[in-house]
Amino acid sequence: MPGFSLEEPFPLARFHTTIGSSQLDKHFVVGLTQLETTTSAYDKSDAGNNTDTHRIAITVQGEGVKLYNTNDQKCLKSWTTPPGVVFAEPAKHRMGTNDADALEHTYAIVATGPDMSKEEECKTVWIWKNTSSSEANETKITKSFEHRIQSIHLSPTLNLHVILVNENGSINIVSKDLDRLTATYKESSEVHVVWSTIFVTSNAHVRPCCIPNTMLPGLSTVIMTVSNTPGSDVYTVRMFYMNEERRSVDLLAKIDMKHNEIPIAFTFDSVDGKMTTMGASGTWTVWRIYMKHGSANKISAHLTRHSSVQLQGYCFYDETLGNVASLTSLSDSYVAMVAPRMRKNTEPEHVVSVWDVKYGTLQAEQVITGADKGISAKDKCVYKISVLSNSQLAITISKVDSKTTKSGKTQKTVMDAKSVVIICPYYCEPMSLMAAMGKMRSTVEFLGVQQDAVGLMRSGVDAVGRSVVSARYKEDDALFTKWVTKQELTQTDEQRIMAKLLKKDLSVDKFTTLFMNYVQTSAKESGYTGTDEDTSMEEENLHDTTNPMSLTKAYREEIARYQPHIKSEHEISYHFVSCVISKIFSCQQDAPDLEFWPVKVLLFLLAKRRLHSSYIEGGLISALLKRDAWALIPIVLEQVNDIPETDLVLIIKALVEKHQSQPTEWSSLFSSYMKTVIDSPHNDIFMQQALKQLTPTELPVMLETLLSWLEKDAQPVIEENNSTVAIETPIHDNTLEISSAILDIHFPTVILETSMHETVKKLSTIVQKEAELAGKLEELRAILGPFTRKHQHQLARWSQNKQHTDAPTDDLSKARRAHKGGRFGGEQGIPVYRVESFRF
C-alpha cells in the first residue's frame, strides 16, 4: 500500500495577460497563496469543517487578485489592478472571524508601476478591506515604507499585526492597517534576503516542534530568513521571534550554510527542523537544524547536511525566465515539486513529484496532461506550487512569450503570458521506513544510480542460522565457535539446494521434490516417497478439473496439510524464497513459461505466508492472470497481505473481460470471484483512486452485479426445514462502500450514458428503502432499549446463580465470592480475618 497518492488533477482557472515588465526573472506570472486565518480558526481541531480550507488567493500579474473556491471552482471575489502594475510577490489575504461584519484584509507589494519611480519600487503596499458577506471593495489604500520589502507574512497568532521582512534583513511588525509600528529589528550588515517564512511553535502535547517550549513559549511566532551577500556562496539562516512582553523582535539563532550552486527554492518543516534547498542545476539538499541551550542561557543552533540528491532530466532554471521549478513543504515529512521534465526524442512533460525528506525516496509522481491547448511543455513555462489545508496541491503553469512594441523612437518589451491553475488532490500517510523501502527500487531507477549500491545490499550470508543451546558451553568462545560453525553449515546447505533448484531444464516434479525435502524434516511428513511417479500423480490430481472453483477447493485441502506447525529442519530465508519465486514466475521472451508450474511449492509458501506480491516484478496478481491461474487468486487474496488496490481492480477488469467473452462459462463464476475481491482487505481511499481504471464498457457489468447483491440482501431470510438458505453475497458494508466509490468516481460517465440510467434508478430505490428501514429501526431503539437492558440483567443474574448453585453458603465463602480477584480472600488462599482493638 503506498504512503502517498496523487489523484487526477483538474483545472481551476485560465488566464491570458500582458505583463508590462521585461524583468520576469525577478517576479512571477501567477502566484498562489493559502488563506491566513485568525487565532480562533487556527486553534480548531477539526480543520475539515472550516470553509476557508477550500479557498485560495490567486494573484495574476497585469490583472489583479482573485479569491477562488476549489470545491465548486468559482471566483468568489476579485480586486482588479491598473495595466502595467507588477507585484513583487503573490498577494496575502487574511480571513476575518466568524462574524459576518468582520473585516478581511488583502495585502500586495507593488514592485513596479507606470506612475512609480525607482526609489518607490518594492516600498509600496496596497490594502483592500471588505467584509466576508460583502462584495470586493475596489477602493485600495496605499502605504509606503522606508526600505524595500521582500515579503509580507501573516501569523495566525498575531491577528492584529502584519510582519514585513525587508530585503536588507530588517523586520517590522506593524498593525494590520499598516498605520502603526509595533516592533522592529534592524540589520547592520549589508545582506540581501532571498527567502523568508514564518511558523508558530506549538505545545508539546499538541504536536512536536523543532523549538521546544523551554526555549520559546507555546504559540510564539518565529520568523525565518535566508540571506546572502552578493558574490558569496555562503547563505545565512536567521531565526527571529516576536517578544510580546517587550514588544520587540529578537534574534534567536544564526547559522551559515555553503552552497556550490545558486539555490532557487527553499522549504522548511517546523516539526522536525528539516530544511530543503533546490539548486539551479538540480541538486536537492536536505538540511537538519538542531537547537540547544548553550552557555549563559544562550541558544546555540547547528545545521548539518542530512542528504543530497542530484535530480537529472529536469529544467530548474532559465536565464531569461529565472526560477522555473517550484517546491513546497507538506505535512508528515514530504516535499512536492513541479518542474518540466526533458526527454530524449520526445516532448517535455509537466511533472508533479513528491519526495520524502527522511529517506530521500520518490513517493509519487503525476504527469499533467491536457492542462491547456495553448500551453505545451515544449514551450518556455514558469511553474508555481502551493499546498492547501484541505489536502490539495495548487499548481500554476504559465507559458511566457516576449514581445517588443515600437512607439516612435522608443521600444517597449512586454511579456505575453498564458496561464492555467490546476488543483491536484492527494492523500498521504505518515512517512515510515517501510514506505521508503517500498519505493527504493523505483527511486534508484529514476535517479539512474547503480542498483548494487543503493537499497537492499547482500552480506553473503543469507541463510537463517540455527539456535545454539548456551547451557552446554561454559566459555563464550566455544559458544561463538559453535554458532559460526552451524551458520556456515546452514549457508552451505542453502547454497547447495539453490544450485540444484535453479538449474535450467529442471522438471516440475524434480523441482517440487527437491524443495519439499529441503523445507520439511522428512519426505513422509510432506507426503512424498521420493519417487517421481507419485509426485506426478499428486500434481495431476491438482490439475484434473477445468472448474476453477473446484480446483480452488483442492488447493485448500492441500494447504490444510501444511497449516499445522510441522517442525522444519531448515528455516527458509528471504533470499531463498525470492530466488524460488523468480524461478517459478520466470518468463521467456516476455511470455510466462506455462510448462513449468510447480503449484505445490506455491501452496506451501502460501500456507506458511512466505509469498509476497513484491517478490514478483509487476506484482503477483499480474503474473497469475498471465498464466490464467484463476484457482489460486481467492487463496492469494486471503494469504498475501501486500496486494495493492490497483491489482484488485486489475482482477475486476479481467473478470469483466471473461464475463463478456465467455458468458456461458463465467456467468456463475463471475459473482463468486467478484465477492472475493470486494471482501479482500484494502484501503478505501486508495481503492477509490484505483477504480478510475474502469472504462465505460466495464461499468454496466459492475453496476448490475452490485444491484443483484443489494437486491439479495434486501430480501427476507428464507427458512426451509429449520435451515437457513445461504446467499453468496459480500459483506453488506463492503457492497455499499464499493458502490458509493464507483458512483462517486464515475458520476459524469453514469449521467451521460443513458444505458446505465435504469440500473442506477433501481440502485436508488434499494438505497431509499434501506434508509427508511434504518430510520424505523432507529425509532425502535428508544422503545426496545429498556427491555434489552432488563433482559441482560436477567441473564447476568441467571449466570451468577448457576455458577454458585453448589457453592458453600457460609460467611467465609460469601465474602470470598464478593471479593473475588481482590487483595484478600478469593482464590488466593488468604482467609478473611478481622482485627479488634482493645484499650485498658
Side-chain angles (χ1 to χ4, degrees):
M1 184 179 296
F4 201 102
S5 176
L6 282 173
E7 300 184 10
E8 194 70 22
F10 60 90
L12 177 66
R14 293 178 174 87
F15 306 99
H16 187 187
T17 58
T18 301
I19 305 172
S21 175
S22 59
Q23 297 179 346
L24 189 62
D25 57 334
K26 298 182 181 180
H27 309 298
F28 65 97
V29 180
V30 175
L32 305 169
T33 51
Q34 179 184 347
L35 301 191
E36 301 293 343
T37 57
T38 58
T39 309
S40 59
Y42 181 79
D43 293 337
K44 286 183 180 179
S45 58
D46 188 8
N49 296 331
N50 192 0
T51 57
D52 299 339
T53 59
H54 303 288
R55 298 182 182 182
I56 184 174
I58 303 177
T59 306
V60 185
Q61 296 281 30
E63 188 167 332
V65 183
K66 300 178 183 295
L67 188 64
Y68 271 84
N69 189 325
T70 59
N71 275 350
D72 52 15
Q73 305 177 26
K74 291 183 179 180
C75 180
L76 304 177
K77 298 176 184 179
S78 63
W79 298 269
T80 59
T81 57
V85 174
V86 177
F87 295 116
E89 69 164 1
K92 302 295 177 63
H93 183 84
R94 168 175 279 170
M95 302 296 296
T97 59
N98 296 329
D99 189 0
D101 297 330
L103 288 178
E104 299 180 352
H105 295 76
T106 305
Y107 306 91
I109 305 173
V110 182
T112 60
D115 300 329
M116 184 175 294
S117 61
K118 286 227 177 213
E119 290 76 13
E120 297 176 339
E121 292 180 355
C122 295
K123 297 181 181 180
T124 303
V125 179
W126 285 354
I127 314 173
W128 291 275
K129 298 181 183 180
N130 60 277
T131 61
S132 58
S133 59
S134 63
E135 297 293 332
N137 186 6
E138 295 291 341
T139 304
K140 64 179 181 295
I141 302 173
T142 303
K143 297 292 182 180
S144 299
F145 294 88
E146 181 181 358
H147 302 289
R148 291 174 60 92
I149 304 172
Q150 187 268 338
S151 181
I152 295 178
H153 297 288
L154 307 177
S155 173
T157 57
L158 300 176
N159 52 357
L160 299 178
H161 297 84
V162 176
I163 303 172
L164 303 180
V165 178
N166 300 322
E167 291 184 358
N168 61 358
S170 61
I171 299 174
N172 295 330
I173 309 294
V174 297
S175 60
K176 61 181 180 180
D177 295 331
L178 306 183
D179 292 331
R180 181 171 54 88
L181 180 64
T182 303
T184 184
Y185 177 85
K186 296 182 179 180
E187 181 65 38
S188 58
S189 59
E190 293 293 333
V191 298
H192 179 73
V193 176
V194 297
W195 180 78
S196 63
T197 186
I198 66 168
F199 63 92
V200 178
T201 60
S202 63
N203 296 323
H205 65 277
V206 177
R207 61 178 176 87
C209 184
C210 61
I211 302 179
N213 295 145
T214 56
M215 296 182 182
L216 286 181
L219 299 180
S220 297
T221 299
V222 180
I223 307 163
M224 185 176 183
T225 64
V226 178
S227 57
N228 169 257
T229 302
S232 174
D233 58 352
V234 177
Y235 290 78
T236 304
V237 180
R238 292 178 174 85
M239 299 179 109
F240 308 87
Y241 72 97
M242 173 65 181
N243 193 327
E244 297 186 7
E245 294 181 357
R246 297 189 297 177
R247 290 185 174 273
S248 63
V249 179
D250 299 334
L251 179 64
L252 183 66
K254 178 181 177 182
I255 322 167
D256 291 337
M257 59 179 178
K258 188 176 181 180
H259 284 272
N260 296 327
E261 53 185 286
I262 300 175
I264 64 171
F266 301 85
T267 66
F268 181 74
D269 189 354
S270 62
V271 175
D272 53 7
K274 287 185 178 179
M275 181 179 184
T276 68
T277 60
M278 177 63 71
S281 61
T283 302
W284 182 53
T285 308
V286 180
W287 310 79
R288 182 72 179 270
I289 297 178
Y290 298 92
M291 305 186 70
K292 62 179 181 179
H293 288 283
S295 59
N297 292 329
K298 292 184 178 180
I299 297 175
S300 61
H302 303 276
L303 184 68
T304 59
R305 188 192 297 265
H306 182 73
S307 62
S308 182
V309 177
Q310 181 66 38
L311 303 180
Q312 300 178 357
Y314 288 92
C315 177
F316 297 95
Y317 182 81
D318 185 81
E319 295 182 357
T320 305
L321 302 178
N323 302 340
V324 175
S326 180
L327 294 178
T328 187
S329 179
L330 309 180
S331 59
D332 299 320
S333 297
Y334 293 101
V335 167
M337 180 188 73
V338 57
R341 181 164 59 190
M342 320 305 291
R343 291 182 175 273
K344 293 182 179 180
N345 302 326
T346 58
E347 293 185 357
E349 298 174 326
H350 309 295
V351 179
V352 180
S353 57
V354 178
W355 297 76
D356 82 272
V357 181
K358 281 187 177 180
Y359 309 102
T361 57
L362 177 63
Q363 288 294 311
E365 190 179 40
Q366 180 73 46
V367 179
I368 301 176
T369 58
D372 193 271
K373 296 181 180 179
I375 301 177
S376 175
K378 63 182 179 181
D379 300 323
K380 288 187 176 182
C381 297
V382 180
Y383 303 82
K384 292 293 179 183
I385 187 170
S386 179
V387 60
L388 306 182
S389 54
N390 61 344
S391 299
Q392 289 182 343
L393 293 176
I395 305 161
T396 63
I397 305 175
S398 303
K399 172 190 172 183
V400 182
D401 292 328
S402 178
K403 294 182 179 181
T404 303
T405 59
K406 293 184 179 180
S407 178
K409 296 182 179 181
T410 61
Q411 293 183 353
K412 185 179 179 181
T413 303
V414 296
M415 310 299 290
D416 182 74
K418 292 182 179 180
S419 306
V420 58
V421 180
I422 297 172
I423 302 298
C424 183
Y426 69 90
Y427 170 80
C428 68
E429 296 179 348
M431 193 60 220
S432 62
L433 178 60
M434 293 300 297
M437 293 180 64
K439 295 292 184 178
M440 187 68 71
R441 182 180 300 178
S442 59
T443 304
V444 169
E445 295 176 355
F446 175 82
L447 297 177
V449 186
Q450 288 185 352
Q451 297 190 14
D452 297 337
V454 178
L456 183 65
M457 300 180 66
R458 296 185 55 209
S459 63
V461 180
D462 302 303
V464 180
R466 305 178 190 178
S467 61
V468 180
V469 182
S470 59
R472 298 179 181 177
Y473 304 93
K474 297 181 179 180
E475 298 181 359
D476 295 338
D477 294 339
L479 176 63
F480 178 73
T481 303
K482 183 62 177 178
W483 178 80
V484 172
T485 303
K486 279 195 171 186
Q487 184 67 35
E488 292 176 351
L489 290 175
T490 306
Q491 181 67 24
T492 303
D493 291 343
E494 183 173 292
Q495 291 177 350
R496 175 182 54 81
I497 193 65
M498 282 181 58
K500 294 181 180 180
L501 290 173
L502 299 181
K503 283 184 179 180
K504 295 183 178 180
D505 302 330
L506 186 67
S507 65
V508 174
D509 300 334
K510 292 183 178 180
F511 182 88
T512 306
T513 303
L514 286 172
F515 179 85
M516 289 298 185
N517 290 337
Y518 175 74
V519 298
Q520 292 187 338
T521 305
S522 63
K524 182 178 180 181
E525 290 180 351
S526 61
Y528 290 88
T529 59
T531 61
D532 295 342
E533 294 179 0
D534 294 342
T535 304
S536 302
M537 185 180 301
E538 291 183 359
E539 293 289 345
E540 289 176 0
N541 291 335
L542 295 178
H543 295 279
D544 59 353
T545 178
T546 57
N547 188 351
M549 300 304 293
S550 301
L551 191 56
T552 301
K553 184 179 180 181
Y555 287 164
R556 295 186 189 277
E557 295 175 355
E558 186 70 17
I559 287 179
R561 301 171 57 192
Y562 307 122
Q563 292 292 353
H565 296 283
I566 301 174
K567 184 179 179 181
S568 299
E569 182 179 359
H570 300 281
E571 186 175 352
I572 54 180
S573 64
Y574 162 80
H575 182 61
F576 179 80
V577 175
S578 61
C579 291
V580 169
I581 294 301
S582 300
K583 171 72 174 178
I584 294 175
F585 290 97
S586 59
C587 297
Q588 297 179 357
Q589 298 179 356
D590 297 333
D593 186 6
L594 300 179
E595 296 181 358
F596 186 79
W597 187 237
V599 66
K600 294 185 73 70
V601 175
L602 290 176
L603 295 177
F604 177 84
L605 295 175
L606 286 171
K608 300 299 181 181
R609 293 186 179 272
R610 298 303 303 271
L611 184 61
H612 299 284
S613 180
S614 57
Y615 290 168
I616 301 102
E617 185 176 358
L620 177 59
I621 295 298
S622 178
L624 293 176
L625 292 178
K626 289 180 180 178
R627 292 176 174 268
D628 207 20
W630 285 96
L632 276 174
I633 287 181
I635 303 175
V636 166
L637 294 179
E638 296 173 2
Q639 302 291 335
V640 182
N641 55 7
D642 64 338
I643 301 295
E645 287 73 11
T646 52
D647 286 359
L648 296 180
V649 178
L650 192 65
I651 299 175
I652 295 176
K653 295 173 70 68
L655 283 172
V656 173
E657 183 181 357
K658 288 283 187 181
H659 183 269
Q660 293 175 346
S661 59
Q662 305 174 16
T664 55
E665 301 177 5
W666 283 84
S667 58
S668 58
L669 298 175
F670 179 81
S671 180
S672 300
Y673 276 101
M674 191 67 68
K675 171 186 177 299
T676 306
V677 175
I678 301 304
D679 287 340
S680 61
H682 58 267
N683 183 285
D684 294 338
I685 297 177
F686 292 145
M687 188 65 178
Q688 188 177 20
Q689 301 306 314
L691 288 172
K692 292 180 179 180
Q693 302 177 16
L694 296 178
T695 61
T697 58
E698 297 166 346
L699 283 177
V701 181
M702 280 296 301
L703 292 178
E704 291 174 1
T705 304
L706 295 172
L707 177 62
S708 63
W709 288 341
L710 292 175
E711 288 178 346
K712 288 183 180 179
D713 290 341
Q715 293 176 359
V717 179
I718 304 173
E719 295 185 359
E720 294 181 1
N721 300 327
N722 297 326
S723 62
T724 304
V725 178
I727 301 175
E728 290 293 333
T729 58
I731 300 175
H732 191 62
D733 291 343
N734 295 341
T735 306
L736 294 177
E737 288 178 1
I738 201 71
S739 303
S740 177
I742 290 177
L743 293 177
D744 288 343
I745 291 296
H746 298 280
F747 179 75
T749 305
V750 173
I751 294 299
L752 297 176
E753 189 64 35
T754 57
S755 59
M756 304 182 194
H757 289 181
E758 189 66 27
T759 305
V760 174
K761 287 181 180 179
K762 293 180 180 179
L763 283 172
S764 176
T765 304
I766 294 177
V767 172
Q768 186 176 0
K769 290 181 179 179
E770 289 200 357
E772 294 176 355
L773 180 60
K776 293 179 180 178
L777 293 176
E778 189 67 27
E779 294 176 358
L780 291 175
R781 181 192 298 271
I783 301 175
L784 300 178
F787 296 96
T788 304
R789 289 191 294 270
K790 183 178 179 181
H791 180 63
Q792 291 176 351
H793 291 321
Q794 290 178 351
L795 290 177
R797 286 196 297 269
W798 176 79
S799 177
Q800 185 177 5
N801 295 333
K802 183 178 180 182
Q803 291 178 0
H804 304 312
T805 301
D806 300 330
T809 58
D810 57 289
D811 295 338
L812 180 60
S813 300
K814 292 180 179 179
R816 286 181 175 177
R817 288 196 298 268
H819 299 87
K820 185 176 182 180
R823 296 179 60 187
F824 305 103
E827 303 294 334
Q828 302 174 7
I830 302 176
V832 177
Y833 62 94
R834 181 176 59 188
V835 177
E836 295 183 0
S837 177
F838 298 92
R839 291 185 180 182
F840 299 96

